[in-house]
Amino acid sequence: MMGPGVLTEWRDQPLDEVFWHCRELLEDDSYPTVKRWREGGGKVIGHFQVYFPEEIVHAGGLLPFKVRGAQVEPLQADSRFGSYLCSILKTSLELALSKRIELEMFVTHPICDAARNLAGVWGRNFSYPCQILYLPQNANSNHAAEYLRGEYARLKRAVEDVAGREIADQDLRRSLALFNRNRALLRELYAIKRDAPWLVSADEAYVLVAVGGLIPREEHNELLEAVIPLIRGREARRQDRVRVVFEGGFCEQPPLDLIRAIGRSCYVVDDDLLIGLRWILEDVPLDGDPLLNLARSYLESSSYSPVQHDLRKPKEKMLLKRIQDSAAQAAIVTAAKMCEPGLEEQVAYTRALDEASIPYFVSEFEENMTSFDHLEIQLETFIENLLFE
């Protein structure tokens, strides 16, 4: 679907107003951009965290919508789940049950036991297709790329059924090129965070990334191409703040106010927030088989997270490398409440940080947190101690 766009309010606005519009969109649980897409005749495929090959959906002319929970009460969804589950599962389903979002298909992943069962729970409540995309359990296998290519082909057939047309290789290549540009722009944004974090705060960078899951990538690229030069041209003075890496935002997302509070205390020079949107670290090749190229990039040119098991990317070493590459002085190691993968890795991360003598702050969060004064006070004390050491 092409048209005037689903997010136009930011155009011709000063930088602070652009950030304001992005925040407003991100915190609006009526998802106006998705509604505008549908009103224009477009179809929507929702996908759960962490990584999803959005290029396949885009190549079919549909909108890939990143289902990442929300700060809503799971009034209807609570009865569909057990008690001891992470919040993101319940609030994601609540968005659909309450008709805040309407989809033509939903896809989840077996990143944990709860997410594996989400397709079944979702499917019992809606008539549209609900599928599981099985990313490789053994990323080190010689057959992993071919296996994943087969999964992508299966997903492509399902998307074609929803779109009502075939997706040609050339359609996929056009989408790969568009998403390559998007990831390059996000890398540029993160380079600013790393090299000149006083130019863009933690919450400003976050909203710029996050809106990409709510709008067509063409529009996200336009937004980033306009905003990044404005950020570079900002008149802002460097302050005496501790440089930190935030680790633990790979799936359920902390409240935006919490990210803002953290940014008031320190410079967040790197993080794993919404890592699925930045998972592939290099351009996906456009020559040859597009699905195989996309599969190989997922395996060979990618980041890390607790939900991918790859012996070539030990999580503890990857975190230490992230800290080293960003010249960070400390780490904030956090996890969502009831998140089994995140809490397990938290133990391994803190052990590695102890061995490397890198200071760290440990916490938990929940997307529906409304008060975190105590957490902010503890973090400020941690930062002050580092400054005076």
Side-chain angles (χ1 to χ4, degrees):
M1 187 189 90
M2 297 298 293
V6 299
L7 180 62
T8 59
E9 296 86 349
W10 65 271
R11 292 175 181 156
D12 301 319
Q13 297 294 316
L15 186 57
D16 288 344
E17 286 295 311
V18 175
F19 286 130
W20 183 84
H21 284 295
C22 289
R23 289 191 192 99
E24 287 294 297
L25 173 61
L26 197 61
E27 295 187 315
D28 188 341
D29 62 24
S30 69
Y31 299 98
T33 54
V34 180
K35 283 183 169 59
R36 289 171 197 161
W37 175 268
R38 296 185 64 85
E39 288 166 359
K43 296 180 179 180
V44 182
I45 291 184
H47 60 91
F48 192 65
Q49 298 273 50
V50 172
Y51 170 78
F52 180 77
E54 293 180 305
E55 292 91 334
I56 298 173
V57 173
H58 179 273
L62 300 99
L63 177 68
F65 171 73
K66 193 166 187 63
V67 180
R68 44 176 288 273
Q71 287 188 288
V72 298
E73 287 297 322
L75 301 176
Q76 300 181 60
D78 237 354
S79 62
R80 272 77 170 181
F81 295 101
S83 300
Y84 298 102
L85 290 175
C86 54
S87 175
I88 186 175
L89 293 170
K90 298 178 181 181
T91 60
S92 292
L93 182 61
E94 182 69 24
L95 294 177
L97 291 173
S98 62
K99 299 189 184 302
R100 289 178 169 91
I101 58 169
E102 295 184 70
L103 307 174
E104 272 70 40
M105 186 167 88
F106 174 71
V107 185
T108 186
H109 318 275
I111 57 174
C112 64
D113 289 341
R116 180 185 297 111
N117 294 324
L118 184 58
V121 175
W122 206 291
R124 286 196 294 271
N125 288 275
F126 299 97
S127 59
Y128 52 75
C130 299
Q131 295 203 9
I132 300 175
L133 177 65
Y134 291 95
L135 300 171
Q137 290 295 307
N138 181 6
N140 306 119
S141 168
N142 292 332
H143 306 288
E146 284 293 341
Y147 162 79
L148 185 54
R149 195 248 178 243
E151 276 294 282
Y152 286 174
R154 180 176 66 84
L155 174 65
K156 174 175 165 285
R157 291 191 295 271
V159 172
E160 288 172 333
D161 289 341
V162 174
R165 69 173 181 86
E166 291 187 2
I167 299 173
D169 283 356
Q170 196 55 38
D171 296 325
L172 288 166
R173 292 190 184 99
R174 280 193 292 267
S175 294
L176 288 175
L178 181 76
F179 279 73
N180 281 345
R181 177 60 179 157
N182 186 254
R183 287 184 287 263
L185 289 166
L186 293 178
R187 289 194 295 270
E188 190 175 348
L189 175 64
Y190 266 70
I192 298 173
K193 277 181 54 128
R194 181 184 64 244
D195 300 334
W198 52 91
L199 294 179
V200 59
S201 66
D203 61 295
E204 288 172 341
Y206 180 80
V207 297
L208 283 179
V209 175
V211 296
L214 306 175
I215 61 178
R217 274 309 188 285
E218 292 88 345
E219 293 191 45
H220 196 216
N221 285 356
E222 181 188 0
L223 172 65
L224 293 171
E225 286 169 346
V227 168
I228 287 174
L230 297 178
I231 294 174
R232 290 193 182 280
R234 243 179 177 176
E235 293 184 5
R237 290 186 178 182
R238 180 176 182 173
Q239 298 180 4
D240 186 19
R241 294 189 184 183
V242 173
R243 297 169 60 93
V244 305
V245 161
F246 182 97
E247 191 80 14
F250 61 94
C251 185
E252 184 169 328
Q253 299 298 290
L256 183 56
D257 284 342
L258 177 57
I259 298 173
R260 185 182 296 116
I262 292 171
R264 286 197 294 262
S265 301
C266 53
Y267 286 137
V268 179
V269 292
D270 204 353
D271 58 62
D272 66 342
L273 295 164
L274 292 172
I275 193 64
L277 295 175
R278 303 178 286 118
W279 181 258
I280 295 176
L281 302 176
E282 300 173 356
D283 283 355
V284 179
L286 302 182
D287 296 331
D289 182 345
L291 291 182
L292 184 59
N293 289 343
L294 190 57
R296 285 174 174 163
S297 293
Y298 169 83
L299 294 164
E300 307 294 340
S301 305
S302 55
S303 187
Y304 69 96
S305 91
V307 299
Q308 188 201 46
H309 306 289
D310 190 335
L311 297 177
R312 299 165 300 179
K313 298 186 287 186
K315 314 300 187 304
E316 306 92 312
K317 291 184 178 180
M318 297 303 289
L319 172 57
L320 295 178
K321 185 176 186 300
R322 174 172 278 167
I323 292 171
Q324 180 182 14
D325 290 349
S326 60
Q329 301 158 275
I332 297 175
V333 182
T334 187
K337 291 182 179 179
M338 305 293 179
C339 176
E340 185 176 347
L343 292 169
E344 284 183 356
E345 290 299 336
Q346 200 174 59
V347 175
Y349 286 151
T350 54
R351 184 184 299 119
L353 292 168
D354 280 332
E355 292 174 353
S357 299
I358 297 174
Y360 59 86
F361 178 82
V362 178
S363 68
E364 291 183 14
F365 68 86
E366 191 172 22
E367 62 186 2
N368 277 329
M369 289 173 67
T370 56
S371 176
F372 32 80
D373 291 346
H374 65 291
L375 187 59
E376 189 171 4
I377 292 170
Q378 292 171 358
L379 177 60
E380 287 175 352
T381 301
F382 169 75
I383 296 297
E384 287 174 2
N385 289 338
L386 288 179
L387 288 172
F388 289 105
E389 280 184 358

